[in-house]
Amino acid sequence: MIPKLMTSKFLISKFARITVAVVFGLSVFALAQADPAAGAPASAAPNAPSAAAAAAKATGTKVGTINIEQAIFASNEGRRDFDVLAKKFEPKQNELKGLADEIDSLKKQLNAQQDKLNEESRDKLVKQIETKQKSFDRATQDAQEDFQGQQGEIGNKILTRMAPLIVKYSSENGYGMILDTSQQWPRGPVIWYGPAVDITQPIVEAFNVQSGVPAPAAGSTPAKPVRPTTTPATKAGTPATKPSTTTPPKQ
């Protein structure tokens, strides 16, 4: 069985929460720039009072929703960059597969021969399995952290540039509040919402136009969260440890 590096929604949720401050900061910044009464040059960042005053002028009353995770993954740029990242890690994926298969083979050998092996031979095989297991665990954790770190950088880059579009669209369409539905209730703030208030797709379309990145070729889809399925055969007498993939909690 092949251990897979995950494109984890948990990770996207994490950096989406971290970037909430960026979203609101850009929201206020965008509103301040749109204020015709603001006398500061376009190149000057608004000070706190003027930004707060501009935010206060938002007159929309509708409440909308957006799935930030989906918007990032579904955008042309997101699909392209995550696909490139997945291909970049294919050699490491194959390396981990080879090691996992080797551990699985040794465990099967131990299960098949444990009644025929003397104590010294059995202990030697068990030690070999445990050593390879530790190597697998370290390599998988390092690869997972590296993969998730680079994935987070991609997501943050997209989200930072997408934030002003969310503000602009919301302002132009009478929204006074936008809630993120990336996490289901009770982890997220929204218990229920209808499709009529969701602005995810319009934001994705607007971002695709802004980025200029063409849609991926037909049949190309963004990587989805995949739970690692490496489960080496185990029976009585087999070491209790097995290759793990440090799977983040599912959201």
Side-chain angles (χ1 to χ4, degrees), residues 150-244:
Q150 293 187 47
Q151 180 182 267
E153 290 176 2
I154 293 172
N156 272 315
K157 178 187 68 174
I158 293 174
L159 181 57
T160 300
R161 290 172 29 235
M162 188 179 284
L165 292 178
I166 297 174
V167 175
K168 183 175 184 294
Y169 182 90
S170 301
S171 178
E172 292 177 350
N173 289 275
Y175 289 97
M177 178 183 292
I178 299 295
L179 300 174
D180 181 18
T181 58
S182 295
Q183 296 188 86
Q184 295 183 351
W185 188 86
R187 291 182 179 274
V190 182
I191 297 177
W192 179 89
Y193 68 97
V197 301
D198 187 74
I199 67 171
T200 304
Q201 188 57 34
I203 293 300
V204 169
E205 293 172 355
F207 186 76
N208 286 342
V209 172
Q210 174 183 281
S211 69
V213 176
S220 174
T221 57
K224 296 180 180 180
V226 179
R227 190 178 184 83
T229 54
T230 301
T231 310
T234 56
K235 292 184 181 178
T238 303
T241 56
K242 64 180 180 179
S244 64

Side-chain angles (χ1 to χ4, degrees), residues 12-243:
I12 300 299
S13 297
K14 182 178 180 180
F15 73 65
R17 291 194 295 271
I18 292 174
T19 317
V20 164
V22 176
V23 175
F24 282 103
L26 288 171
S27 300
V28 173
F29 178 77
L31 287 169
Q33 284 191 319
D35 182 7
S43 58
N47 55 36
S50 63
K57 293 183 179 181
T59 57
T61 57
K62 296 192 299 182
V63 175
T65 64
I66 183 172
N67 187 318
I68 292 294
E69 292 175 6
Q70 181 181 330
I72 292 171
F73 277 116
S75 69
N76 292 345
E77 184 173 340
R79 294 173 64 184
R80 179 198 66 187
D81 291 355
F82 286 124
D83 185 59
V84 170
L85 180 62
K87 285 183 171 57
K88 175 182 177 181
F89 274 82
E90 282 181 357
K92 176 58 68 174
Q93 182 77 41
N94 293 333
E95 178 186 332
L96 293 174
K97 175 187 180 301
L99 185 53
D101 288 346
E102 187 176 353
I103 295 171
D104 186 68
S105 178
L106 289 172
K107 286 189 174 185
K108 289 179 179 178
Q109 178 184 340
L110 177 61
N111 288 330
Q113 301 179 3
Q114 59 181 334
D115 294 336
K116 302 175 183 178
L117 296 173
N118 58 37
E119 184 176 353
E120 181 181 354
S121 297
R122 184 185 182 282
D123 289 346
K124 182 178 180 181
L125 185 55
V126 169
K127 181 63 175 179
Q128 185 179 4
I129 293 172
E130 291 176 344
T131 300
K132 289 184 179 295
Q133 174 67 61
K134 291 178 181 178
S135 177
F136 177 90
D137 289 344
R138 286 194 297 269
T140 300
Q141 182 174 351
D142 290 346
Q144 191 77 26
E145 291 175 354
D146 188 14
F147 180 81
Q148 291 181 344
Q150 293 187 47
Q151 180 182 267
E153 290 176 2
I154 293 172
N156 272 315
K157 178 187 68 174
I158 293 174
L159 181 57
T160 300
R161 290 172 29 235
M162 188 179 284
L165 292 178
I166 297 174
V167 175
K168 183 175 184 294
Y169 182 90
S170 301
S171 178
E172 292 177 350
N173 289 275
Y175 289 97
M177 178 183 292
I178 299 295
L179 300 174
D180 181 18
T181 58
S182 295
Q183 296 188 86
Q184 295 183 351
W185 188 86
R187 291 182 179 274
V190 182
I191 297 177
W192 179 89
Y193 68 97
V197 301
D198 187 74
I199 67 171
T200 304
Q201 188 57 34
I203 293 300
V204 169
E205 293 172 355
F207 186 76
N208 286 342
V209 172
Q210 174 183 281
S211 69
V213 176
S220 174
T221 57
K224 296 180 180 180
V226 179
R227 190 178 184 83
T229 54
T230 301
T231 310
T234 56
K235 292 184 181 178
T238 303
T241 56
K242 64 180 180 179

Side-chain angles (χ1 to χ4, degrees), residues 2-15:
I2 304 174
K4 294 186 177 182
L5 296 173
M6 297 195 310
T7 303
S8 170
K9 283 190 175 182
F10 166 77
L11 177 65
I12 300 299
S13 297
K14 182 178 180 180
F15 73 65

